[in-house]
Amino acid sequence: MRKDPSESSDDGAAQQGASPGYGRVSSPYDLPTERFPSATPTSGSAGQGLPRTDDELDHGDARGAGLSTEQIPAYRQSASDVPDQPTQVIGATSGASLGSTAGDPSTDRLGEGDVKIGRGTLDLGLLALRLAVGGTALVHGLQKLTGLWNGPGLDGFEEVLVNAGFQQAKLLAMLGAIGEVAGGALLILGLVTPLAAASVLAVMINAWAFRQIAEPGLEYFAPSGTEYETLLGVCAGVIILTGPGRISLDGRRGWATRPFIGSFAALILGVAAGVCIWIFLNGANPLI
């Protein structure tokens, strides 16, 4: 039986297409098994686009794709989490200047984001310091003013000042004795504390200079040195700079717990008063 010529040509083409290196070969990669959503949703696939911004990544895109990620809630401390105790308040978010409401119980409240800082034993320590300095100044002033505890009294104190080279010794004796008594008593009470401590400081500056000129050269150790006057004067200055604390009659005032300009001015006033009294009413050089 004779073959049709056309069939022979078709068989040749098939054999030629099946030869290696010729024609298209199928691959499993031609048909991907997973498709990623396109950046821009097509019709019929709304909400399937990829997130393009941080907001879309965190909260899902505006088209409702719902591609939100895990959110970590922020912690904010509330006023109920902090124990109620006498403290100063540092406003973290209120924007108020520090110290603008210090000492005012009506405004001493926690706002959102505020932090309470406790004073611990600071007020107790300031009370002890005030009692020691104020009590010492008080009893020495009473010795000079009234003659108690074998003190010299006003007449004896005036004579001491005359022998030390002071002018206006009678007036200075009265002012010095009253300054020590009043300053010591007010320090104990914690009342108008910067001025009380300034008066004690002024008296101690003159007492230091008086003690210094009594012995040649710079002396420090007792009984002929100046360590007592130095320590008492420095402690009075410290009380001015720190304030009397809350355990005092001044305790509700802002400068009692957070002193600043006023207390610094009181310190300068006390030093200036003591130095000027010595220079203009005595004039001796205590440093030689």
Side-chain angles (χ1 to χ4, degrees), residues 91-262:
T93 59
S94 62
S97 60
L98 293 178
S100 59
T101 60
D104 186 358
S106 63
T107 58
D108 198 19
R109 299 187 181 93
L110 281 177
E112 183 180 355
D114 288 348
V115 179
K116 274 191 171 184
I117 299 179
R119 290 176 62 84
T121 59
L122 176 61
D123 297 314
L124 187 61
L126 290 174
L127 173 63
L129 181 62
R130 283 185 4 250
L131 292 178
V133 176
T136 303
L138 176 62
V139 297
H140 279 277
L142 289 175
Q143 281 184 310
K144 299 178 179 70
L145 187 64
T146 64
L148 290 174
W149 303 297
N150 298 320
L154 276 178
D155 293 337
F157 186 37
E158 179 184 352
E159 184 178 354
V160 170
L161 294 178
V162 170
N163 294 333
F166 279 97
Q167 303 175 28
Q168 305 293 330
K170 186 176 183 63
L171 178 61
L172 282 180
M174 294 182 62
L175 291 178
I178 293 174
E180 275 193 292
V181 171
L186 291 174
L187 278 179
I188 293 173
L189 298 174
L191 182 62
V192 290
T193 312
L195 296 180
S199 68
V200 173
L201 177 58
V203 171
M204 287 301 109
I205 288 175
N206 281 270
W208 182 92
F210 169 76
R211 177 75 69 177
Q212 189 61 50
I213 63 172
E215 296 289 337
L218 294 175
E219 299 289 340
Y220 178 75
F221 298 104
S224 60
T226 61
E227 60 180 340
Y228 163 76
E229 291 80 9
T230 300
L231 182 60
L232 206 60
V234 169
C235 289
V238 168
I239 293 174
I240 297 174
L241 293 176
T242 60
R246 292 186 182 272
I247 310 175
S248 64
L249 295 181
D250 290 334
R252 297 177 67 85
R253 300 180 182 273
W255 49 263
T257 53
R258 301 193 64 193
F260 188 44
I261 299 297

Side-chain angles (χ1 to χ4, degrees), residues 252-276:
R252 297 177 67 85
R253 300 180 182 273
W255 49 263
T257 53
R258 301 193 64 193
F260 188 44
I261 299 297
S263 295
F264 187 74
L267 177 66
I268 298 300
L269 178 64
V271 173
V275 172
C276 289

